Amino acid sequence: ESEWQPPAPASASEILEQLDEEVVEEDSVDDQQDTSLGILLFLLSIVLALLIGYWLKQRKVEWLHETGAALIFGCMFGF
């Protein structure tokens, strides 16, 4: 009968490759979350600009057009 022997230890390069693969997977998840958050903020800013324009039109504000309000909002949001 042969006795069970533990597997030979992995070489340093194999261990580093495994660690690199794990880091890449974590980075891609973080990048996806950052991208999703950016898209969400962009869509919210567009909706808010539309709502501000609608509010200005309902209040009959004549000295500021809807597009001007959206432009000012975009400048503030961009900084």
Side-chain angles (χ1 to χ4, degrees):
E1 288 181 38
S2 62
E3 293 183 27
W4 178 83
Q5 293 182 358
S11 67
S13 63
E14 290 175 357
I15 293 173
L16 289 175
E17 286 176 13
Q18 290 175 352
L19 289 175
D20 284 343
E21 289 173 2
E22 291 174 7
V23 169
V24 167
E25 289 175 6
E26 291 176 7
D27 287 345
S28 65
V29 169
D30 290 341
D31 289 343
Q32 289 176 356
Q33 290 175 347
D34 291 343
T35 303
S36 297
L37 180 62
I39 292 171
L40 177 66
L41 290 175
F42 180 70
L43 291 175
L44 288 176
S45 68
I46 290 174
V47 169
L48 190 58
L50 289 172
L51 290 175
I52 290 171
Y54 177 75
W55 181 78
L56 287 173
K57 197 170 190 178
Q58 292 298 317
R59 296 285 180 177
K60 297 183 180 178
V61 176
E62 295 180 6
W63 53 271
L64 183 62
H65 195 265
E66 298 99 14
T67 53
L71 185 64
I72 292 170
F73 173 72
C75 289
M76 290 186 328
F77 188 75
F79 289 111

